[in-house]
Amino acid sequence: MNVRLPQPADFSAPPSPAQLQRWSDADAALRPARLAALRARARSEGVDAVLLTAHADARYFSGICFGPNDEPTAGVSGWLLISSDAFAIFADSRYTVQARREATLATPLDPGSDPGAAIAAWATANGVRKLAADPGAIRHAVWERIVAAGSGIELVPAKGWSAELRAVKDATEIERIAAACAVADRALAALLPKIVDGATEAELAWLLERGMREGGAEALAFDVAALAGGNAALPHGNPGARPFKNGEVALFDFGAQVAGYRSDMTRTLFVGSASDDDLALYQRVLDGQQAAISALRSAAERGDAALPSGREADNITRAAMAGAPGIYEHGLGHGIGLQTHEAPSLSRGASERPLPSPTVFSVEPGIYLEDRIGIRIEDLVAIDLAGRSLRTLTLFPSAPLITG
Amino acid sequence: MNVRLPQPADFSAPPSPAQLQRWSDADAALRPARLAALRARARSEGVDAVLLTAHADARYFSGICFGPNDEPTAGVSGWLLISSDAFAIFADSRYTVQARREATLATPLDPGSDPGAAIAAWATANGVRKLAADPGAIRHAVWERIVAAGSGIELVPAKGWSAELRAVKDATEIERIAAACAVADRALAALLPKIVDGATEAELAWLLERGMREGGAEALAFDVAALAGGNAALPHGNPGARPFKNGEVALFDFGAQVAGYRSDMTRTLFVGSASDDDLALYQRVLDGQQAAISALRSAAERGDAALPSGREADNITRAAMAGAPGIYEHGLGHGIGLQTHEAPSLSRGASERPLPSPTVFSVEPGIYLEDRIGIRIEDLVAIDLAGRSLRTLTLFPSAPLITG
C-alpha cells in the first residue's frame, strides 16, 4: 500500500532569521489597526474601555511575548486596559523591563497586590465609566474588587470581542501557522522509522517532541499524545509505558509553535500491518473529513455570498459518516492561531453564523471503539472567501500508512 | 578556584519503576487521611462541602494526573466537590475513562456546558447548604451561576485550606522532590562543558531541558531560564539568541518534575573567568542565603517550640546582605511540591506565623544590577522540627564556579 513513505525533506525547512524578522515587523505594522478595530467594537457597544487578560491578547495587541509556561507564575502580568485614547499593560516588577522593550505602544502599570483596585484607579484616571470584561475569564475576587474600589464604574460583561478579531487572520499569520505545520509534518516523517513493534508511547512522544523542538519549534502547541492500540480510543490520553504492537494503530496528536503561532495535527498510522476491517474504518473517517473540506472548498471557490457555518460543516461530516460505529463525540474542529483552541468552533453546538474569512481551523473527525481502536485524522485548513480558495496547511499525507 | 567540576555521577540516578510504584502506592494509602483532614477543616469552619479547582488538588485528593499542558484545554475537568460523605470529580467526556481509572475514590460528574448549574445540582442532591470556594480561583461567571442556580446555597469564600494541608509534606513527597532535584543537578553537571563563550541562551536552555527530560523528568517544573551577562538581571527573561561571553555570568533557573513533584534551582556560573568584584557580589548572595538556612537549621536542631516565620527568614537574609547593591525585590523563597509555587511563602509580606513542618521550600536571594549582572543562588531545603533536621535537597555545589 505504501508506494513511498514521507520524508522530512518533503516539507518546508524552518523559517530563517530574516523571515522571523519580517513577521515581527508585520505584527508591529498591523498592531495600530488591531487596536483601532477593538476600539471601534467598544464604541459600537457603548463602553469606554476593555479589559483583556489572555496572554494571546497581550501578544496580539501589545507585542509582549510570554513563554509557554509563564501563565501560572505571571499572575496578572500581561493584562491590557484599552480605552479610546489610553493603552496600559499590567507588568509587575518581574516584567517591567520586558514590557518596556516589547509592548512599545502600551504604558506599563504595576498591578501591585490588589489588581482590582489598580484597574479601578486606572479607569477613574482615564474617565472610564463603563468597562467591558469577560466574566468567564476574570476571577470572582478581582471582579468584585473592581466594583467595590471603583466608585461608579460599571463592569459590562463582554465575551469574545478579541477572539472574533483574532479569528480573522492576515497573510503573515497564516504563513506562520503553515510554518508550524511544516515543523510538525517534518518531525513525524523523521519519526516513521521508529514507529515499530515494542516502542513505547512515552518514548515516541518524547522523540516527536524533540524532533519539533530541534526542528524549528520555539515551543509545543500542547503536550504530544502518542497512543497505542486501544488507548487511541481515549480522546485525551497521557503517553505511558504501553508499547506499540504490530497490527495495531499508533495515534499521534501534536503541534508546534513558530513565531507565536501554532499547528495541530493528528495522524493514525498502522504498525507493521493493518486488517481490512481497520482500513475500512480509517476510510470512513477520511471520507467524513474530506466531505466537509470539499464542501467548504466549493463554497469558497464558487465565491458564495457567505461560507457555511461551523455547525453546518460538522453536520456534513456526520452525515457522511452516518452508520459508522463510534463516531466522534467531540467537535469537528476549532480555530487556531496564537492559541491552540480559539474561534471559530466547528461542532454540533457551534454558531449558525457563517465562518469568518480568511481564517484557519482544524478538521478532525474520529471513530473510537473503547479498548479496541481509535482513529482520528486532523488537518488544518486556511479558507479565504474573497480569495476564493481553501488550502490545506497540513501536508503530511492522510492516506492510510503502514510503518515498520 | 575549581578543584573539580561536578559530574553527573555525583548525583542520584533517576527513580526505578519499582520506586515509582512505591510512591504511587503511598499516595493511595495516604489519600483517605488527606480527605479526612480537609473534611475536618470544613467542619471546623462550619461549611458542608468544599469546591477545589486546582489540578494539584485533583491529584493530591483524588489521584487523577493531568499532563503539564492539560490546564488550558481541560476546562473544568478535575474540579473536586467534597462533603462529609460524598466526593465527586468533574470529568467531561474526554476525561471520564481517566477519572474512572485514576480517581478511584471519587464519583465522576459531567460538568456539561454549565458547570455552575452542575455544582448547584450536586449541592442540592447532597444536602449541602454552605459550600466553601476560593473567589481568587473561581471565575466570576461560574461563581454567579452557582448562586443563581442553587436556590438557598451559600458560597463561603475560603482560601488556602488545601494549600495549608499540602504545605505539610510526608516522607514520600520529600523523597520525590529530592529525586526531582537530583534530575536537575545531574542535567546541569552534564551541561557544564557546553557553557562556553559563544553558546547562546536558547541553545543551552534547550540542552538543559533535554538533559532533564532524558534523565528522569516526566516534565519540566517550568520553562528553563538561561540568561547571559546583563540579561541575568531580569528576574523573568526568555532565553534568546544572546551569546554567553567570557568573563560574564550564566544564570540558569530550572526544575524537573518526578512522579508529580517538582524541583526548582538557580545557579549563577562564571564563563571562563570572573572578576574580583563579581566574585565579591556572589559571596554576598551566598552569605545571605546561608544566613537564613543556618538560622532555620539551628531552630530545627535545637527543637525550638516553633520555627521562625517566612517573614523572619526573609529578614535574616536581608539583614545579612545589608549594604550590598541591587538586593532582590522578590521574595526569599516559596514552598514547592505538586506546584512550583505553593505555601509557605518566605518574603517581606509573608505570614508571621511559624513555618509549617515538615515542609520544603526554596531559599533564593539575588543581586541584580540592571544591564550589567544578575546573581541568584537557589536551593531547596526540607525542614522537620519534630525530626530536628534541616536538609538541603539541591546538591549541586553553590560555591562560585568557573566554566569553560
Side-chain angles (χ1 to χ4, degrees), chain A residues 69 135-136 139 141 210 214 223, chain B residues 69 135-136 139 141 210 214 223:
Chain A
N69 292 328
R139 290 161 288 168
R210 183 173 145 175
E214 297 186 343
D223 290 339
Chain B
N69 292 328
R139 288 160 290 168
R210 184 173 145 175
E214 296 186 344
D223 290 339

Side-chain angles (χ1 to χ4, degrees), chain B residues 38-83:
Chain B
L38 185 71
R39 284 167 165 152
R41 174 71 182 259
R43 209 161 40 238
S44 76
E45 302 269 0
V47 304
D48 304 316
V50 182
L51 169 63
L52 298 173
T53 59
H55 280 178
D57 289 328
R59 180 166 184 149
Y60 187 78
F61 291 105
S62 89
I64 197 167
C65 301
F66 291 98
N69 292 328
D70 265 341
E71 192 76 48
T73 52
V76 300
S77 286
W79 291 17
L80 306 181
L81 285 161
I82 299 171
S83 73

